[in-house]
Amino acid sequence: MSQLLMYGSKRLFGCTRNLSQTLSFRVVSKNVHQFKKYEFTRSVAFLKVRNAVQLQFRILEDLSSIRNSKNFCSKKPNRLSFEVDTNVRGDVMVFTYANARFFRMLSVFGIVQFFFWSHMAVFAYSGVRDLRAQSSEETSSWWSMVANFQHEHRYRIAIACIALGYVVLFFTWMYPQRTVSKLVLMKGGQMVRVTTYSHFGRTKDFTVPLNDISCKQSRLAEGVQVSLKIRSRWFYYLLDKREGKFVEPQLFDYVIGLNRSIK
């Protein structure tokens, strides 16, 4: 009986040991499988990161080679509305105004008016008779009273007529020379070429530094003209907003048309 019990206990102990070995082998196998799976996942992630870094380096190398090439045209960076590149590569037309026929007619009108008022001055000085020596009946009419007044003040009337003729001629001569026909920002963005009209619809131009130009009002302000003040030059230069055209409005608003301090 005792031998049977010993034999049973040995078999039970053997089965228990086999079961524990089996369970421990399964646990170890599971751990090994999880470890291999973790290693594989980490290897895949490492390969992805390495490929991404290599791809980024290749892209950077391609970009640097494109920038160094001669045919590369760089894209303009994004700027705010008031950030304008003034370093222009060539002459840029900013404003243009064409109306030569009007200024030809204006010059002719000024000359005709000058000769007309000059003739009136000569007539006022020497063409009016003195009626005071005649009889009272002849001098009592209103026409004779006007003639006597003209005779008494013939010097003043002649001077007034000549002055009026000169004023009209001066206006018709100076207004075209202060009307801007073209406004050009020259290469480099530091000089401006101003083209104005002259007598009989002709044009003339001159070049001034950008800092010598001051605009007294905005292009979008009310009115039909924009006035420009140029250092060391009399009177204002006028830009016609109604019939003229601002080809580059941003260059005018933020480069040329600024209110600068000019003494």
Side-chain angles (χ1 to χ4, degrees):
M1 187 66 180
S2 60
Q3 293 179 355
L4 183 60
L5 290 173
M6 290 178 64
Y7 177 77
S9 62
K10 288 181 180 180
R11 292 295 300 270
L12 183 60
F13 177 78
C15 292
T16 304
R17 186 176 62 185
N18 292 334
L19 182 60
S20 62
Q21 290 177 354
T22 304
L23 291 175
S24 62
F25 178 78
R26 289 182 178 178
V27 172
V28 171
S29 299
K30 185 176 180 180
N31 292 335
V32 170
H33 178 70
Q34 291 180 353
F35 177 78
K36 290 182 178 180
K37 185 177 180 181
Y38 171 76
E39 289 292 332
F40 177 78
T41 305
R42 189 172 65 176
S43 301
V44 171
F46 174 77
L47 291 175
K48 289 182 178 180
V49 172
R50 188 184 66 181
N51 293 335
V53 172
Q54 291 178 353
L55 180 61
Q56 186 175 6
F57 274 109
R58 290 178 181 175
I59 293 174
L60 292 176
E61 290 176 358
D62 294 337
L63 288 176
S64 62
S65 62
I66 292 175
R67 288 174 182 174
N68 293 330
S69 63
K70 296 182 179 180
N71 296 326
F72 175 71
C73 181
S74 60
K75 185 180 179 181
K76 295 182 178 179
N78 294 327
R79 292 188 176 94
L80 299 176
S81 60
F82 57 87
E83 293 180 342
V84 181
D85 186 12
T86 60
N87 188 16
V88 293
R89 298 181 179 180
D91 296 348
V92 179
M93 180 74 68
V94 179
F95 173 81
T96 180
Y97 170 58
N99 198 359
R101 181 174 178 271
F102 169 76
F103 292 105
R104 283 196 297 268
M105 296 176 61
L106 186 64
S107 298
V108 174
F109 172 79
I111 294 174
V112 171
Q113 286 291 311
F114 176 76
F115 282 106
F116 170 78
W117 289 109
S118 298
H119 175 73
M120 290 296 294
V122 173
F123 176 78
Y125 180 76
S126 60
V128 179
R129 295 182 301 170
D130 186 8
L131 302 179
R132 289 176 296 181
Q134 300 180 6
S135 62
S136 60
E137 294 180 356
E138 295 178 357
T139 58
S140 60
S141 63
W142 65 273
W143 173 250
S144 60
M145 296 176 60
V146 171
N148 290 331
F149 177 82
Q150 290 180 350
H151 182 74
E152 292 177 0
H153 301 280
R154 62 183 183 274
Y155 297 106
R156 297 178 182 177
I157 296 175
I159 292 174
C161 290
I162 292 176
L164 184 59
Y166 272 107
V167 168
V168 174
L169 181 64
F170 177 78
F171 174 78
T172 56
W173 207 259
M174 287 299 299
Y175 179 71
Q177 298 186 27
R178 291 299 180 268
T179 301
V180 178
S181 173
K182 294 179 183 179
L183 204 62
V184 179
L185 183 63
M186 301 184 68
K187 182 178 180 180
Q190 299 301 320
M191 302 294 291
V192 178
R193 184 169 66 248
V194 182
T195 303
T196 64
Y197 281 101
S198 183
H199 49 277
F200 299 107
R202 299 176 182 177
T203 59
K204 63 178 183 178
D205 55 63
F206 57 92
T207 303
V208 293
L210 179 62
N211 294 328
D212 289 349
I213 299 177
S214 177
C215 184
K216 297 304 179 182
Q217 68 264 14
S218 172
R219 177 179 59 88
L220 303 177
E222 295 182 356
V224 297
Q225 291 179 332
V226 177
S227 58
L228 294 178
K229 179 62 179 176
I230 300 179
R231 192 191 305 272
S232 302
R233 292 181 180 270
W234 289 7
F235 308 114
Y236 286 91
Y237 288 81
L238 304 177
L239 280 72
D240 196 317
K241 297 191 298 183
R242 182 174 54 188
E243 298 183 6
K245 179 181 179 181
F246 289 91
V247 183
E248 294 290 341
Q250 284 191 338
L251 285 178
F252 180 82
D253 292 340
Y254 302 114
V255 179
I256 298 178
L258 299 180
N259 189 2
R260 300 177 177 88
S261 177
I262 297 179
K263 296 182 180 180

